Amino acid sequence: MNSVSTDICIIGAGPVGLFAVFEAGLLKLRCHVVDALPQVGGQLSEIYPKKPIYDIPGFPEVLAGDLVQNLMRQIEPFHPTFTLGERVEGYEKLEDGSFRVTTIDGTEILCKAIAIAGGLGSFEPRKPAIDSLADFEGGKGVYYMVRDPETFRDQRLVIAGGGDSALDWTIFLADVAKEVTLVHRGTTFRGAADSAEKVKNLHEAGKVKLVLSSNVTHVHGNGQLHGVTITANDGTAAQVEADSFIPLFGLTPKLGPIGEWGLELEDDAVKVNTVDYSTSEPGIFAIGDINTYPGKLKLILCGFHEAALMCQGAFKYINPDKKYVLKYTTVNGVPTL
Amino acid sequence: MTDEVRVYVEEAPGQRREVVAPTDMGLSLMEIMKADGYDIQATCGGMALCGTCHVEVLAGPELPEPSDDELAMLESLPVMTQGSRLSCQIRITPRLDGLVVRLMPQDA
């Protein structure tokens, strides 16, 4: 089991979570950042890295991806540590008021305060409406992402979807699996033209089966997936043998386990006190899109403000007997940890 | 020319709720439904990049054709019907008066 010890465990590596590292660093607090996505940046990296943002002070225009890069540069002096690609599952409050946070993959973060900066929640795979699909999750033949291509070596695969992920993995796994069938509801692919062309070429070369104007409508097996039913748009159906089925329909945000933590919620968001963005549980704070309070605006710049005040609150929680004196970076520069 | 239109959100078969929308504020259908309290994530903020504002157009005036970006997003979703649209890409204009839509489920 991985174990990390830090001052603040920040859940969420989006812009607000990253800026919280900077504000914490000014107070000489160390941070460990956890995110379910394999890269930092949250929505900015996952959904719109090439889109310009216009309401960041001092930046008339900045690409979302560039803002993330700048934030990473800004927090470098504070040497934050990261656990990426792991969703936080639960926490335990210890006798001294500190916390043990655990991830789905067993990583343990011992920390003195928790800052939830989870945005709209963790990004989860978008699942097609197929009965019994869940029966084959967890290594029994249905996978929503490809973590290790070797899992599928010499298998008969059915991939569903029409976006870039479906195209890219079809191309990659054509050389790994025994047989790859790509099922797409439409007749054309609107993903990258180059990838669509490669899939077409692989199909013509007999390395990939392409089933267009169709959907996977049923999954079959007995404890382990044995096959799927592919139904064409005209209603005709055929059963296909398959060892694994990989539906790739993108990601959608879900509040996830944090919704079960017992924190006071309102409309699927965590209620906070705007004095310091503390939640109903002392020592746990929530900033950015995941929180709610009267007048809440879901803007990155508002999240930055919340991060600054949250760190003051976390400092007081961690150091109840220490007096804090505000220092301006223009006077003192950026301290290091 | 009217400065507001009425669109209808079908919450259950035969059960429609009227939403009044101004036509002079450059809003999208996603924005007016969100403002009216509908639970729409609109994760990408209206850039046709996330598909979380997916609606099905059930009746009403003819809409402008979807852009390539909108079609690309719709085609990547698990469910798409003849009337599928991204509500963030539908601008509120006077010609939308009487439009009937339903929110498409986000979960399987």
Side-chain angles (χ1 to χ4, degrees), chain B residues 11 26 59 81-82:
Chain B
E11 297 179 339
T81 71
Q82 291 280 349

Side-chain angles (χ1 to χ4, degrees), chain A residues 156-318:
Chain A
R156 296 162 300 177
L157 298 186
V158 173
I159 297 174
D164 287 321
S165 291
L167 292 171
D168 292 347
W169 282 118
T170 296
I171 295 163
F172 188 91
L173 292 170
D175 285 333
V176 176
K178 182 162 75 181
E179 181 182 298
V180 178
T181 303
L182 176 61
V183 182
H184 176 40
R185 184 186 46 241
T187 53
T188 56
F189 290 100
R190 291 176 188 271
D194 179 49
S195 304
E197 188 66 23
K198 277 184 188 160
V199 168
K200 195 176 148 213
N201 292 341
L202 285 168
H203 171 57
E204 284 169 0
K207 293 194 78 176
V208 162
K209 291 181 183 173
L210 209 47
V211 184
L212 300 177
S213 303
S214 301
N215 279 313
V216 173
T217 51
H218 297 90
V219 287
H220 314 281
N222 186 12
Q224 188 72 34
L225 188 81
H226 290 156
V228 303
T229 298
I230 300 173
T231 304
N233 292 351
D234 65 9
T236 55
Q239 200 164 322
V240 174
E241 291 185 351
D243 302 305
S244 292
F245 170 46
I246 313 176
L248 295 171
F249 294 110
L251 302 172
T252 190
K254 295 250 186 327
L255 184 57
I258 288 169
E260 313 297 319
W261 280 17
L263 304 175
E264 201 175 340
L265 302 177
E266 185 178 291
D267 294 334
D268 268 355
V270 181
K271 280 182 83 172
V272 290
N273 178 346
T274 51
V275 168
D276 57 3
Y277 297 92
S278 53
T279 68
S280 55
E281 175 63 44
I284 301 183
F285 302 81
I287 52 176
D289 286 356
I290 205 159
N291 76 13
T292 186
Y293 52 85
K296 170 72 182 177
L297 280 181
K298 288 189 178 185
L299 295 174
I300 293 170
L301 74 97
C302 296
F304 288 166
H305 159 84
E306 294 168 16
L309 291 192
M310 177 279 292
C311 286
Q312 307 291 324
F315 181 89
K316 284 176 194 157
Y317 180 79
I318 295 169

Side-chain angles (χ1 to χ4, degrees), chain A residues 50-108:
Chain A
K50 298 295 179 196
K51 291 281 181 180
I53 302 172
Y54 300 99
D55 60 353
I56 305 297
F59 289 93
E61 177 182 332
V62 60
L63 296 183
D66 290 347
L67 178 61
V68 173
Q69 291 302 316
N70 287 346
L71 285 163
M72 289 299 285
R73 263 185 55 210
Q74 193 170 14
I75 64 177
E76 261 174 30
F78 303 120
H79 310 296
T81 49
F82 293 87
T83 296
L84 298 175
E86 292 185 26
R87 191 179 73 180
V88 163
E89 280 299 284
Y91 81 93
E92 179 189 353
K93 196 165 194 177
L94 306 178
E95 276 184 14
D96 62 356
S98 66
F99 299 89
R100 180 188 288 119
V101 175
T102 47
T103 73
I104 195 165
D105 294 317
T107 300
E108 170 191 83

